[in-house]
């Protein structure tokens, strides 16, 4: 980069505070950054870092309670303080936005074409008919098949990826100078994410649009960004080229963040590598034979086949990772294993007990030896029970132990999940997401289960917190030796802890094998696609992978 | 450390007041004020009212019919020769009794059926839903009339009349609790912590009443205020349509309004109808204001929110800047800024 | 595209078919409930005349009316009659209940229509205003207004209106009946008898008659309309506040759509969906209001007839009218479902 392109959008000392019932909350503190023509600037941060707020402040999309100070300029136009018609002319025409959740960012009662036309007609003096023709062109440009038909579709008739493409079509409709993409792929499956990122990359190259990419995913950053700005609790702690940030981070937060990101194909941390009890081949914790799970469809439509003819086995002391995208049936299978869902057909044997047709009393007895960890830390603990009560509930249910024994067990488990013992008297809302997941884990382990099903236990957590939870999890599995069905969509996490991996897609089992086999030498095309689509948090590696993908395409 | 403040917060109303602000607080205060007045008047009706319930003469002399407001009868007298003020005051007692009986009965039946139906599902659930929906769709007043006919044959006296009115309102309101509670149960049923209890081997009874019910109970306060205000309106409507309680056994605002409409209005006599009417408006306004403010407080969408997830931030701070956070004196300016600023500490989370 | 359209309209038809099928059990349950509830107190004759006649005479009359047969026989006979449109005959004035329902039903429908016009004119703009100025003075004032009109029983509101505008107040508006006697006779002479007064008056083309009908409608329509407006204000305000916070509204702003358009084309349209649904459920409440309004203003509708029969303890008539109202509610809630399907494309899916 010998002659840097001209600066397009520039924020200087931008601060945002919100008036609340209490004292004002400062969400963004004196943040400065710039983006040049044709450049992709990634603003990276975890939840609450102020990355979204700062970008929305520039286009006046914050609620009335926000107070904005500082400057933000596009070319010569000062944006802060613009009102009504003046800011409206900027939005969509000069600065466009793409949102995180395409299914809520599209008006559900308007067709895709209607909404694209609306964007066009708001800024250009063209007829409705011309706008419609342009909408079809745009849908074609963002890679939607049969654009003439899709232009008349309502959002609920489109897939998640298609909806995000419609959002992108809307964003580029008026040839904006800058696109702010706020977590554009977070709500999407990894293979769809790769396609959307390719599309954005492509648009930047073809149209020369500058992109501000807001994300928490370091893999996406490495894949896309020219320059990176790292935000932490409202402040911009570090800024530089992608290479600088990844290879030579300066701020302790950046270092911590990069250290926490699990890497597909990366080395396992020493703490996770020591295998205490090797899997026992002969004993099965879970055996699934030709399992079908169907849900009744709406009146007049066929049943939904969530799981189709799946067979797999889980040995004692083993971690089997169940991997797949949304709708793959992985969660349904996991729920079957603990009797939360009844199978439609096939055999399901848990710890030697056939689950189909089991009596309620027998199921309750069996459940002493089973446990489940849920995804959402916000709702996995009863808000009205103290941490100690939450953890010891299974003991009370099964009437084991005296009060003193239960207390001792709670203290022991809190220690095991590395929480201070005084947390026993706290309530869930006083804990952070990561701490709550550790309490969930403690509750799951209180009866010394032989089989644990963990459903995306870390997906709702920030990366820097996830690392800790995973570390605790693996250590306890090694110590206690329970068999584990670990359900996740994140291949990097799988690579950290799984013994074997099962890949599922649309209810069917695609591939099953050891971690090495599946991740390093996949046999099925879908598995290969899945691995290919995961962005690696390393700009150099990721660029090489992208070039390979381009060459193939 | 249990301070006076934290002790005060244990009282539910006080805690609620603490979470409100501005308009919500104003509505809550006005509403509670009106309700307190209403309850006090109902309890102390005997000492507050200048005359007895069915008193028509004083020292052997009749009050006179349809007398305009005067010093003897501040609000005038009715066509039947009663003192309007006394009738209005005793009306509060009738209204309060009916509200309490109706609300208590509908909550107990509606909530129990709702939780059981929602949690167990199956045929029981389907049949209950069908019946409740049909009753729900039916004009509540008509249903109340039919039930009132059944219970009392149309007209009744004293406590029997109040029972009839309360039961008619209960029949109308059970489906509303049922619907709300059943829906809340359905969503609570799939909450991770409820499923966790299930996986933990807990029995249905424990899950329903230990985990689901406390969660569902959140939706009840707003419904309760709605129920109370509608109970008063339905009672008055029944009285207005001629299903009142005999005037000698209890005073009821709706019935007094009804007699006033048929006999007084055409003569331009306003005091017999306006005062009982205003009493109804005042009480229902009080209950509704409480309901509106509760709705605002419980509906997070409508609130201007304060500091966000502080526990998460604190953890981040500890893990990332570990040693620094433990020693407040050494916290770098950048981090110290966060600690002192805004973000309110969650309850009991003081370290 | 053609196939897409066709499948979508097929889905719509299927949805409406299911809804229509659900109407039947609802009505059946209500008719059954009313029938058996009314019989708990005994048959209509004993309920009305018990104590006034000798036991022998009572028994003779019961036998003549067929009330001594097993209750289930009577129930199925009643069901059969209702299906054929025979709701019985009022003993008070010997009118066929079906007749009463048709004549007085027209009056009720007319009243409800007038009141809905008032409710829309008052409720929708105020609801939108309150949402727009959330938590500011306009919002506060409108909310208090909504609470007050909700808290005032319709009959009390009607009574106050009567006092203000009636003969002893300003004396500018009639306070009872649908039309004055002269107009009624004149319209009858002209041979117009649709039972919808405004239709008849319009057909006559005479301004005297039209204005007479309108004048009579104003006070009842305002009393009932304000009550409904209170419901609309609250519904629209809260739903609009919710849709104004959705991502698609922010997204529309972000692509430079003018604020006025964002509110009307995105937020309001989406806010209407739950409003329509809830309106379907509030129909019952509005009918209650109509009954009370009719009684207050002696408006000869279903509610007025019902209260007259109630006072006369004519339980055959009461049961017939209640059953008819149940049918009416079922039909209206089905119509609401149709509107809902038209407003919300997701329903058609």
């Amino acid at each position: 980069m010998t002659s840097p392109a001209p600066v397009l959008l520039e924020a200087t000392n931008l601060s945002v505070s919100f008036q609340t019932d209490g004292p004002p909350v400062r969400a963004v503190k004196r943040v400065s950054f710039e983006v040049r023509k044709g450049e992709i600037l990634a603003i990276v941060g975890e939840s609450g870092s102020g990355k979204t707020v700062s970008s929305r402040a520039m286009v006046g999309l914050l609620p009335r309670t926000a107070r904005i100070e500082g400057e933000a300029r596009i070319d010569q136009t000062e944006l802060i303080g613009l009102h009504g018609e003046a800011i409206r002319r900027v939005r969509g025409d000069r600065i466009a936005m793409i949102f995180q959740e395409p299914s809520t960012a599209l008006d559900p009662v308007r067709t895709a074409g209607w909404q694209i036309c609306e964007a066009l007609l708001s800024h250009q003096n063209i007829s409705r008919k011309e706008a419609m023709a342009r909408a079809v062109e745009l849908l074609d440009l963002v890679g939607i098949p049969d654009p003439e038909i899709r232009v008349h579709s309502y959002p609920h008739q489109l897939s998640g990826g298609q909806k995000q493409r419609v959002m992108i079509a809307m964003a580029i409709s008026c040839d904006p100078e800058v696109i702010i993409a706020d977590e554009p792929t977070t709500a999407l499956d990894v293979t769809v994410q790769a396609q959307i990122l390719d599309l954005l990359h492509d648009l930047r190259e073809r149209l020369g649009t500058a992109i501000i990419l807001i994300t928490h995913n370091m893999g996406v950053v490495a894949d896309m960004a020219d320059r990176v700005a790292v935000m932490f609790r409202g402040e911009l702690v570090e800024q530089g080229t992608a290479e600088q940030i990844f290879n030579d981070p300066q701020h302790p937060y950046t270092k911590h963040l990069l250290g926490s990101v699990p890497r597909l194909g990366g080395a396992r941390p020493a703490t996770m590598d020591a295998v205490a009890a090797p899997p026992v081949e002969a004993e099965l914790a879970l055996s699934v034979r030709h399992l079908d799970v169907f849900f009744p469809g709406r009146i007049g439509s066929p049943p939904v086949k969530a799981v189709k003819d799946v067979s797999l086995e889980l040995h004692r002391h083993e971690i089997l990772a169940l991997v797949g995208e949304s709708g793959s049936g992985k969660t349904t299978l996991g729920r079957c294993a603990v009797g939360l869902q009844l199978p439609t057909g096939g055999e399901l044997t848990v710890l030697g007990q056939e689950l189909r047709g089991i009596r309620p009393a027998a199921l309750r007895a069996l459940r002493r030896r089973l446990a489940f960890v849920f995804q959402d830390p916000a709702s996995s603990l009863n808000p009205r029970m103290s941490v100690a009560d939450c953890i010891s509930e299974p003991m009370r249910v099964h009437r084991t132990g005296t009060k003193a024994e239960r207390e001792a067990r709670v203290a022991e488990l809190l220690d095991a999940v590395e929480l201070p013992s005084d947390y026993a008297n706290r309530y869930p809302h006083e804990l952070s997401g990561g701490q709550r997941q550790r309490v969930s884990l403690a509750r799951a382990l209180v009866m010394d289960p032989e089989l644990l099903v963990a459903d995306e236990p870390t997906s709702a957590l920030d990366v820097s917190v996830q690392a800790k939870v995973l570390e605790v999890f693996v250590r306890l599995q090694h110590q206690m030796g329970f068999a584990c069905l670990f359900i996740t969509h994140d291949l990097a996490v799988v690579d950290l802890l799984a013994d074997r991996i099962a890949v599922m897609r649309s209810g069917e089992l695609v591939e099953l094998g050891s971690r090495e086999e599946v991740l390093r030498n996949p046999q099925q095309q879908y598995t290969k696609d899945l691995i290919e689509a995961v962005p690696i948090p390393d700009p150099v590696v990721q660029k090489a992978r992208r070039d390979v993908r381009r060459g193939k395409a | 450390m249990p301070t006076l403040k934290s002790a005060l917060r244990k009282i539910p109303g006080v805690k609620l007041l603490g979470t409100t602000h501005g308009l919500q607080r104003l509505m809550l205060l006005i509403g509670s004020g009106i309700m307190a007045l209403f309850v006090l008047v109902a309890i102390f009706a005997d000492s507050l009212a200048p005359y007895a319930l069915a008193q028509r003469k004083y020292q052997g002399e009749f009050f006179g019919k349809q007398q305009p407001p005067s010093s003897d009868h501040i609000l005038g007298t009715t066509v039947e020769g009663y003192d309007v003020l006394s009738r209005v005051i005793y009306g509060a007692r009738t209204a309060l009794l009916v509200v309490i009986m109706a609300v208590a009965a509908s909550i107990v039946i509606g909530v129990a059926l709702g939780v059981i139906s929602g949690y167990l599902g199956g045929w029981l659930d389907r049949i209950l839903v069908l019946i409740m929906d049909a009753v729900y769709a039916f004009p509540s007043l008509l249903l109340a009339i039919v039930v009132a006919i059944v219970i009392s044959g149309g007209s009744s006296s004293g406590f029997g009349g109040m029972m009839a009115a309360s039961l008619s309102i209960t029949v109308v309101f059970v489906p509303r609790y049922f619907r709300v509670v059943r829906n809340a149960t359905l969503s609570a049923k799939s909450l991770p912590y409820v499923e966790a209890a299930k996986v933990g081997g807990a029995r249905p009874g424990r899950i329903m009443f230990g985990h689901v019910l406390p969660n569902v109970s959140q939706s009840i306060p707003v419904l309760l205020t709605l129920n109370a205000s509608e109970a008063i309106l339905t009672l008055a409507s029944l009285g207005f349509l001629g299903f009142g309680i005999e005037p000698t056994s209890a005073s009821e605002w709706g019935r007094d309004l009804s007699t006033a409409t048929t006999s007084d209005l055409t003569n331009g006599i306003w005091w017999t109808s306006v005062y009982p009417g205003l009493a109804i408006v005042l009480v229902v306004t009080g209950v509704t204001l409480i309901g509106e403010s509760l709705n605002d407080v419980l509906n997070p969408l409508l609130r201007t929110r304060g500091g966000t997830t502080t526990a998460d931030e604190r953890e981040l701070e500890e893990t990332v800047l570990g040693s620094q956070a433990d020693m407040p004196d050494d916290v770098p300016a950048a981090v110290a800024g966060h600690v002192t600023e805004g973000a309110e500490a969650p309850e009991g989370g003081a370290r | 595209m053609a196939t897409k359209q066709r499948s979508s309209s097929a889905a719509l038809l299927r949805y409406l078919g299911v809804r229509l099928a659900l109407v039947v059990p609802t009505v059946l349950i209500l008719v059954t409930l009313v029938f058996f509830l009314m019989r708990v107190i005994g048959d209509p004759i004993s309920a009305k005349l018990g104590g006034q006649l000798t036991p022998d005479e009572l028994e003779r009359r019961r036998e003549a009316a067929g009330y001594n047969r097993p209750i289930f026989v009577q129930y199925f006979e009643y069901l059969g009659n209702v299906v054929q449109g025979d709701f019985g005959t009022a003993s008070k004035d010997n009118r066929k209940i079906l007749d009463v329902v048709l004549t007085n039903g027209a009056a009720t429908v007319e009243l409800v229509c007038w009141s809905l016009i008032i409710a829309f004119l008052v409720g929708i703009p105020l609801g939108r205003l309150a949402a727009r100025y959330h938590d500011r003075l306009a919002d506060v004032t409108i909310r208090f207004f909504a609470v007050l009109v909700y808290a005032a029983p319709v009959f009390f509101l009607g009574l106050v209106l009567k006092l203000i505008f009636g003969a002893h107040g300003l004396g500018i508006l009639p306070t009872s009946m649908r039309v004055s006697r002269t107009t009624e006779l004149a319209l009858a002479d002209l041979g117009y008898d649709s039972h919808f007064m405004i239709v008849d008056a319009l057909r006559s083309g005479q301004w005297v008659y039209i204005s007479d009908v309108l004048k009579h409608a104003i006070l009842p329509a305002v009393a009932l309309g304000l009550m409904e407006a209170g419901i609309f204000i609250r519904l629209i305000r809260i739903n609009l506040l919710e849709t104004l916070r959705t991502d698609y509204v922010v997204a529309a702003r972000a692509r430079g759509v003018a604020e006025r358009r964002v509110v009307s084309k995105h937020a309001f349209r989406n806010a209407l969906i739950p409003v329509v649904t809830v309106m379907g459920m509030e129909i019952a409440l509005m009918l209650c209001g109509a009954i009370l309004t009719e009684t207050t203003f002696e408006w000869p509708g279903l509610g007025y007839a019902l209260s007259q029969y109630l006072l006369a303890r004519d339980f055959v008539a009461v049961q017939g009218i209640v059953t008819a109202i149940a049918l009416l509610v079922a039909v209206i809630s089905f119509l609401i479902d149709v509107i809902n399907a038209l407003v919300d494309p997701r329903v058609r899916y």
Side-chain angles (χ1 to χ4, degrees), chain A residues 1-58:
Chain A
M1 281 201 205
T2 42
S3 60
V7 171
L8 262 182
L9 182 69
E10 188 178 17
T12 320
N13 288 332
L14 195 64
S15 298
V16 182
S17 58
F18 289 97
Q19 292 162 342
T20 65
D21 304 352
V25 171
R26 290 183 63 188
V28 176
K29 290 155 209 169
R30 300 177 68 79
V31 164
S32 304
F33 57 83
E34 60 186 41
V35 61
R36 292 165 189 275
K37 192 168 165 31
E39 182 183 57
I40 299 181
L41 169 72
I43 302 183
V44 186
E46 294 178 300
S47 47
S49 62
K51 55 192 194 300
T52 297
V53 172
S54 51
S55 66
R56 290 197 180 186
M58 293 190 292

Side-chain angles (χ1 to χ4, degrees), chain A residues 374 393 397 443, chain B residues 192-203 207 211:
Chain A
F374 294 84
E393 203 203 1
V397 164
R443 175 183 56 192
Chain B
Y193 72 79
V194 175
E195 295 205 316
K198 219 178 188 178
V199 177
R203 287 160 192 278
I207 297 174
H211 294 281

